Amino acid sequence: MEKQVRRNEGQRSAARGAKDLAAGGWNMGSYRAVFCDIDGTLLTSDHRVTPDTAKKVRELSEGGIPFVLTSSRMPAAMYSIQEEIGFHGPMISYGGALVLDGDGKVLADVGLSQALAAELRREFPAETEERCFSAYSGDFWMVTDRDHPLVRREEEITGVRSVKGPWEDVLQEDIPIHKLFWTGPPDFLDEMAGELGNKFPQCMFCKSAPWLLEIMDGRASKSQAVHILCREWGISPAETVSFGDNYNDIDMLKATGHSVAMGNAPEAVKAAASEVTVDNNREGLLLTLNRLFP
């Protein structure tokens, strides 16, 4: 309960800041907001935020520059990072399917119907030691086997506990599924994405890592979420900067006025960005923030 109280206080502060932004009260550097991917960008390969990076993020947030976490993660796995760093603000969750303002108010909520999600679930073969299926809705992460090694690994990385059971037993029937998540060998996932992309054109199939395939409503995107938040603040996306490292960041990188790909990003991601910084293990994010926001 204490953590929830602190979070709400921080969100109220961030909301006040967003109102000031809309009124033109911000003036730090050339850009008025930062959109930043989490895994492979903000976090090192061992899933840490370096102390100097955390300090810079707090400095920006306290100085009037909204620092927006953008991720395919669920909100619960993003709040913990905000709390670790010591700031609060808007967030783009599930790759843009769920957008929250600084008060936690939902600005966009786009998900798969449970019926469509069930059709997709039937397309996947049975789980094995190297293949695992999950479903996400809001702050629920639903799995078949909580003891599966891939589930345990994800719990350790995100700090979020999964729930055993099909979503039909966990959610009311009108609640959407924000993300289906398949972990497995890269070649297998590439084949599945190609086949299902043709069969379900209304869905988005995207790999956030070679071994991770995410399925979401085709209307959801990080770029759309950028536009939603900018409209909320009364600014242009051209006045913002974004950071990312993987294929699901490309549309966001193209949506902002300036964009930065991490040194660890694939070549296609680097080609979509305004510039390329060093990798996430050498504080590429921090180096560029220090230059853009001295």
Side-chain angles (χ1 to χ4, degrees), residues 225-251:
V226 167
H227 284 272
I228 289 170
L229 283 170
C230 286
R231 284 197 300 270
E232 186 78 2
W233 297 328
I235 68 172
S236 167
E239 300 175 273
T240 69
V241 60
S242 60
F243 293 81
D245 79 301
N246 225 311
Y247 298 105
N248 61 344
D249 296 315
I250 289 177
D251 70 301

Side-chain angles (χ1 to χ4, degrees), residues 68-274:
V68 184
L69 297 182
T70 71
S71 178
S72 296
R73 290 185 178 214
M74 62 198 300
M78 300 169 72
Y79 283 129
S80 60
I81 294 172
Q82 287 184 333
E83 290 172 357
E84 177 187 351
I85 294 174
F87 85 106
H88 294 281
M91 63 173 56
I92 298 171
S93 180
Y94 294 124
L98 185 61
V99 183
L100 306 175
D101 71 3
D103 278 328
K105 174 187 173 184
V106 175
L107 300 179
D109 187 353
V110 178
L112 305 168
S113 69
Q114 292 188 32
L116 177 57
E119 287 186 54
L120 287 158
R121 179 176 56 189
R122 288 193 289 270
E123 295 288 335
F124 285 97
E127 292 184 338
T128 66
E129 186 173 337
E130 61 178 6
R131 294 199 305 246
C132 182
F133 182 81
S134 300
Y136 293 80
S137 179
D139 278 327
F140 287 103
W141 169 26
M142 295 153 285
V143 302
T144 304
D145 179 10
R146 290 198 64 239
D147 292 323
H148 194 291
L150 295 175
V151 172
R152 289 299 189 195
R153 180 177 181 273
E154 188 72 8
E155 287 187 338
E156 291 174 1
I157 292 172
T158 63
V160 176
R161 288 178 60 83
S162 59
V163 177
K164 182 178 179 178
W167 59 73
E168 294 89 344
D169 295 342
V170 178
L171 305 174
Q172 296 179 2
E173 62 182 17
D174 59 337
I175 301 297
I177 302 297
H178 288 115
K179 181 177 75 172
L180 299 177
F181 190 61
W182 191 264
T183 306
D187 290 345
F188 163 74
L189 295 181
D190 289 340
E191 181 180 350
M192 293 300 298
E195 292 178 2
L196 295 179
N198 293 326
K199 189 170 183 179
F200 297 92
Q202 71 272 48
C203 298
M204 175 176 63
F205 299 83
C206 188
K207 294 179 75 174
S208 55
W211 56 91
L212 302 176
L213 176 64
E214 299 169 342
I215 307 171
M216 290 169 284
D217 190 289
R219 296 169 294 172
S221 70
K222 289 185 176 183
S223 59
Q224 183 69 11
V226 167
H227 284 272
I228 289 170
L229 283 170
C230 286
R231 284 197 300 270
E232 186 78 2
W233 297 328
I235 68 172
S236 167
E239 300 175 273
T240 69
V241 60
S242 60
F243 293 81
D245 79 301
N246 225 311
Y247 298 105
N248 61 344
D249 296 315
I250 289 177
D251 70 301
M252 176 181 71
L253 295 174
K254 292 181 176 181
T256 57
H258 189 73
S259 57
V260 184
M262 305 301 292
N264 46 292
E267 291 303 315
V269 180
K270 293 177 181 178
S274 307

